[in-house]
Protein backbone atom coordinates (compact mmCIF):
# COMPACT_ATOMS: atom_id res chain seq x y z
CA UNK A 1 0.00 0.00 0.00
CA UNK A 2 1.39 3.40 -0.95
CA UNK A 3 2.22 5.77 1.88
CA UNK A 4 1.21 9.37 2.38
CA UNK A 5 2.26 11.41 -0.64
CA UNK A 6 3.01 15.11 -0.44
CA UNK A 7 3.70 17.42 -3.34
CA UNK A 8 5.77 19.33 -4.07
CA UNK A 9 8.80 18.23 -2.04
CA UNK A 10 10.46 21.63 -2.20
CA UNK A 11 9.08 25.10 -2.76
CA UNK A 12 10.66 28.54 -2.78
CA UNK A 13 8.41 31.58 -2.54
CA UNK A 14 8.84 35.26 -1.80
CA UNK A 15 7.19 37.25 0.94
CA UNK A 16 3.63 38.23 0.21
CA UNK A 17 2.95 35.35 -2.16
CA UNK A 18 0.64 32.48 -1.43
CA UNK A 19 1.25 28.75 -1.68
CA UNK A 20 -0.77 25.56 -1.90
CA UNK A 21 0.52 22.23 -0.68
CA UNK A 22 -1.04 18.90 -1.52
CA UNK A 23 -1.41 15.65 0.40
CA UNK A 24 -2.73 12.27 -0.70
CA UNK A 25 -3.43 9.99 2.27
CA UNK A 26 -2.97 6.26 2.46
CA UNK A 27 -5.77 4.54 0.62
CA UNK A 28 -8.75 4.09 2.94
CA UNK A 29 -7.61 6.70 5.42
CA UNK A 30 -10.23 9.38 5.97
CA UNK A 31 -8.44 11.63 8.45
CA UNK A 32 -5.73 14.03 7.31
CA UNK A 33 -3.75 16.26 9.66
CA UNK A 34 -1.18 18.94 8.91
CA UNK A 35 1.85 19.88 10.99
CA UNK A 36 4.52 22.55 10.75
CA UNK A 37 8.04 21.54 11.74
CA UNK A 38 10.73 24.12 12.50
CA UNK A 39 14.00 23.85 14.47
CA UNK A 40 12.79 26.38 17.02
CA UNK A 41 9.16 25.37 17.55
CA UNK A 42 9.34 21.66 16.77
CA UNK A 43 6.23 19.92 15.46
CA UNK A 44 3.11 22.04 15.74
CA UNK A 45 -0.42 21.00 14.82
CA UNK A 46 -2.12 23.08 12.14
CA UNK A 47 -5.46 21.38 11.48
CA UNK A 48 -7.21 18.08 10.93
CA UNK A 49 -9.81 17.13 8.38
CA UNK A 50 -12.17 14.19 8.44
CA UNK A 51 -14.77 13.48 5.78
CA UNK A 52 -14.22 16.93 4.24
CA UNK A 53 -14.85 18.71 7.56
CA UNK A 54 -12.29 20.49 9.69
CA UNK A 55 -12.38 18.62 12.97
CA UNK A 56 -9.57 20.35 14.88
CA UNK A 57 -7.57 23.52 14.46
CA UNK A 58 -4.28 24.61 15.99
CA UNK A 59 -3.14 28.06 17.01
CA UNK A 60 -2.09 29.44 13.67
CA UNK A 61 -3.27 32.69 12.05
CA UNK A 62 -6.07 32.72 9.50
CA UNK A 63 -3.49 32.92 6.70
CA UNK A 64 -3.21 29.16 7.11
CA UNK A 65 -6.17 27.27 5.73
CA UNK A 66 -6.96 23.87 4.36
CA UNK A 67 -9.56 21.69 2.83
CA UNK A 68 -10.28 18.07 2.13
CA UNK A 69 -11.88 16.61 -0.95
CA UNK A 70 -14.32 13.73 -1.25
CA UNK A 71 -11.46 11.34 -2.12
CA UNK A 72 -9.77 12.34 1.19
CA UNK A 73 -6.97 14.22 -0.55
CA UNK A 74 -6.17 17.44 1.24
CA UNK A 75 -4.66 20.78 0.40
CA UNK A 76 -3.17 23.39 2.64
CA UNK A 77 -2.93 27.04 1.67
CA UNK A 78 -0.81 29.80 3.17
CA UNK A 79 -1.52 33.33 2.02
CA UNK A 80 0.61 36.46 2.36
CA UNK A 81 3.73 34.47 3.13
CA UNK A 82 6.11 35.67 5.81
CA UNK A 83 9.76 34.74 6.34
CA UNK A 84 8.73 32.87 9.50
CA UNK A 85 6.58 30.52 7.46
CA UNK A 86 9.70 28.79 6.20
CA UNK A 87 9.37 25.25 7.52
CA UNK A 88 8.81 21.62 6.73
CA UNK A 89 5.08 21.03 6.35
CA UNK A 90 4.08 17.50 7.17
CA UNK A 91 0.84 15.79 6.35
CA UNK A 92 -0.32 12.71 8.24
CA UNK A 93 -3.22 10.37 7.64
CA UNK A 94 -5.02 7.90 9.86
CA UNK A 95 -7.67 5.29 9.34
CA UNK A 96 -10.02 6.67 11.97
CA UNK A 97 -10.07 8.78 15.11
CA UNK A 98 -7.37 7.62 17.51
CA UNK A 99 -5.68 5.43 14.95
CA UNK A 100 -1.93 5.97 14.57
CA UNK A 101 -0.82 8.82 12.35
CA UNK A 102 1.30 8.02 9.30
CA UNK A 103 3.37 10.92 8.06
CA UNK A 104 4.38 11.87 4.55
CA UNK A 105 7.86 13.08 3.63
CA UNK A 106 6.79 16.69 3.86
CA UNK A 107 7.06 19.81 1.74
CA UNK A 108 10.05 22.02 2.49
CA UNK A 109 8.88 25.63 2.07
CA UNK A 110 11.42 28.42 1.93
CA UNK A 111 10.21 32.00 1.98
CA UNK A 112 12.70 34.65 0.83
CA UNK B 1 -3.77 24.30 26.59
CA UNK B 2 -2.07 20.94 26.44
CA UNK B 3 1.69 20.98 26.79
CA UNK B 4 4.25 18.18 26.55
CA UNK B 5 7.74 18.55 27.94
CA UNK B 6 10.48 16.17 26.85
CA UNK B 7 13.90 15.50 28.38
CA UNK B 8 16.72 15.32 27.64
CA UNK B 9 17.13 17.33 24.46
CA UNK B 10 20.26 15.39 23.54
CA UNK B 11 21.41 11.96 24.65
CA UNK B 12 24.63 10.17 23.78
CA UNK B 13 25.15 6.50 24.65
CA UNK B 14 27.56 3.74 23.77
CA UNK B 15 26.36 0.94 21.54
CA UNK B 16 24.76 -1.75 23.67
CA UNK B 17 23.76 0.62 26.48
CA UNK B 18 20.17 1.55 27.31
CA UNK B 19 18.58 4.91 26.56
CA UNK B 20 15.67 6.50 28.40
CA UNK B 21 13.67 9.53 27.24
CA UNK B 22 11.07 11.10 29.51
CA UNK B 23 7.97 13.17 28.81
CA UNK B 24 5.46 14.96 30.98
CA UNK B 25 2.04 16.10 29.82
CA UNK B 26 -0.22 18.73 31.31
CA UNK B 27 -3.77 17.68 30.44
CA UNK B 28 -4.96 14.78 32.59
CA UNK B 29 -7.61 13.98 29.96
CA UNK B 30 -4.92 12.91 27.47
CA UNK B 31 -5.30 9.24 26.73
CA UNK B 32 -3.05 8.40 23.76
CA UNK B 33 0.76 8.64 23.79
CA UNK B 34 2.74 7.78 20.65
CA UNK B 35 6.48 7.95 20.09
CA UNK B 36 7.97 8.87 16.73
CA UNK B 37 11.48 8.42 15.38
CA UNK B 38 12.74 10.88 12.79
CA UNK B 39 15.99 10.23 10.99
CA UNK B 40 17.79 13.12 9.35
CA UNK B 41 15.88 14.32 6.29
CA UNK B 42 13.14 11.75 6.71
CA UNK B 43 9.56 11.67 7.92
CA UNK B 44 8.58 10.91 11.50
CA UNK B 45 7.78 7.21 11.91
CA UNK B 46 5.69 5.72 14.67
CA UNK B 47 7.75 3.28 16.72
CA UNK B 48 5.42 2.52 19.62
CA UNK B 49 2.31 3.93 21.27
CA UNK B 50 0.39 3.41 24.47
CA UNK B 51 -3.12 4.21 25.63
CA UNK B 52 -4.09 5.39 29.07
CA UNK B 53 -5.65 2.07 30.10
CA UNK B 54 -2.23 0.38 29.84
CA UNK B 55 0.76 0.96 32.09
CA UNK B 56 3.47 -0.55 29.94
CA UNK B 57 3.98 -1.82 26.41
CA UNK B 58 6.97 -3.54 24.89
CA UNK B 59 8.07 -4.27 21.33
CA UNK B 60 11.40 -6.06 21.08
CA UNK B 61 14.07 -3.59 22.27
CA UNK B 62 11.62 -0.74 22.76
CA UNK B 63 9.27 -0.22 25.70
CA UNK B 64 7.06 2.60 26.90
CA UNK B 65 5.78 3.13 30.42
CA UNK B 66 2.95 5.41 31.52
CA UNK B 67 2.27 6.87 34.94
CA UNK B 68 -1.13 8.58 34.74
CA UNK B 69 -0.96 9.88 38.30
CA UNK B 70 2.28 11.73 37.65
CA UNK B 71 1.26 12.51 34.01
CA UNK B 72 4.53 11.07 32.91
CA UNK B 73 5.56 8.58 30.22
CA UNK B 74 8.93 7.27 29.11
CA UNK B 75 10.59 5.51 26.20
CA UNK B 76 13.16 2.83 26.96
CA UNK B 77 15.51 1.48 24.29
CA UNK B 78 17.70 -1.44 25.31
CA UNK B 79 20.81 -2.78 23.56
CA UNK B 80 21.11 0.37 21.49
CA UNK B 81 22.57 0.17 17.99
CA UNK B 82 24.04 2.89 15.74
CA UNK B 83 20.90 2.76 13.59
CA UNK B 84 18.89 3.90 16.61
CA UNK B 85 20.54 7.31 16.19
CA UNK B 86 17.77 9.78 15.34
CA UNK B 87 15.50 12.40 16.89
CA UNK B 88 12.73 10.91 19.01
CA UNK B 89 9.48 12.74 19.69
CA UNK B 90 6.87 11.95 22.29
CA UNK B 91 3.30 13.17 21.84
CA UNK B 92 -0.05 13.21 23.59
CA UNK B 93 -3.61 13.58 22.43
CA UNK B 94 -7.07 13.82 23.87
CA UNK B 95 -9.68 11.18 23.13
CA UNK B 96 -11.94 13.59 21.28
CA UNK B 97 -9.17 15.19 19.23
CA UNK B 98 -7.90 12.26 17.20
CA UNK B 99 -5.42 13.73 14.74
CA UNK B 100 -4.28 16.55 16.98
CA UNK B 101 -1.04 15.44 18.58
CA UNK B 102 0.85 17.71 20.94
CA UNK B 103 4.52 16.94 20.51
CA UNK B 104 7.45 17.26 22.85
CA UNK B 105 10.49 19.18 21.64
CA UNK B 106 12.39 16.06 20.65
CA UNK B 107 15.46 14.19 21.87
CA UNK B 108 18.47 13.76 19.60
CA UNK B 109 19.85 10.32 20.39
CA UNK B 110 23.37 9.48 19.30
CA UNK B 111 24.59 5.89 19.63
CA UNK B 112 28.35 5.64 19.38
CA UNK B 113 29.82 2.40 18.06
Amino acid sequence: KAGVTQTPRYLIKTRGQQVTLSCSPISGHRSVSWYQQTPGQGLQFLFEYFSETQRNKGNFPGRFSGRQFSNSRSEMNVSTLELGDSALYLCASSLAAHSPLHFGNGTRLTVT
Amino acid sequence: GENVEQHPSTLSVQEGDSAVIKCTYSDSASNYFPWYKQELGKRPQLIIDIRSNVGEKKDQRIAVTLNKTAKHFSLHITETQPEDSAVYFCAASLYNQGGKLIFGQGTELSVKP
Side-chain angles (χ1 to χ4, degrees), chain B residues 21-91:
Chain B
I21 303 171
K22 300 181 179 182
C23 290
T24 303
Y25 59 98
S26 61
D27 194 328
S28 57
S30 295
N31 71 337
Y32 176 62
F33 308 92
W35 286 86
Y36 284 84
K37 174 185 180 181
Q38 188 175 28
E39 296 176 62
L40 191 62
K42 296 191 176 181
R43 61 189 172 90
Q45 288 194 288
L46 179 71
I47 55 171
I48 196 168
D49 58 5
I50 192 168
R51 298 190 184 274
S52 59
N53 58 345
V54 176
E56 183 173 359
K57 185 176 178 181
K58 190 173 182 180
D59 182 5
Q60 299 182 343
R61 296 186 297 109
I62 294 173
V64 58
T65 58
L66 171 65
N67 182 329
K68 286 190 294 183
T69 303
K71 292 188 284 186
H72 174 270
F73 58 114
S74 301
L75 177 72
H76 304 254
I77 306 174
T78 58
E79 300 172 20
T80 54
Q81 301 166 5
E83 50 265 39
D84 293 330
S85 297
V87 179
Y88 290 81
F89 293 95
C90 64

Side-chain angles (χ1 to χ4, degrees), chain A residues 56-78:
Chain A
N56 284 301
K57 189 177 188 305
N59 297 322
F60 279 80
R63 300 185 297 107
F64 292 81
S65 63
R67 59 178 176 169
Q68 186 180 34
F69 302 96
S70 59
N71 61 358
S72 293
R73 190 177 71 85
S74 177
E75 287 183 346
M76 183 189 121
N77 184 276
V78 188

Side-chain angles (χ1 to χ4, degrees), chain A residues 26-74:
Chain A
I26 293 171
S27 178
H29 285 195
R30 296 169 61 191
S31 171
V32 173
S33 301
W34 289 88
Y35 289 81
Q36 181 194 65
Q37 186 174 26
T38 59
Q41 298 298 316
L43 281 154
Q44 292 190 291
F45 172 77
L46 281 155
F47 27 66
E48 179 197 10
Y49 287 87
F50 184 85
S51 294
E52 302 178 66
T53 300
Q54 188 179 85
R55 187 160 63 177
N56 284 301
K57 189 177 188 305
N59 297 322
F60 279 80
R63 300 185 297 107
F64 292 81
S65 63
R67 59 178 176 169
Q68 186 180 34
F69 302 96
S70 59
N71 61 358
S72 293
R73 190 177 71 85
S74 177

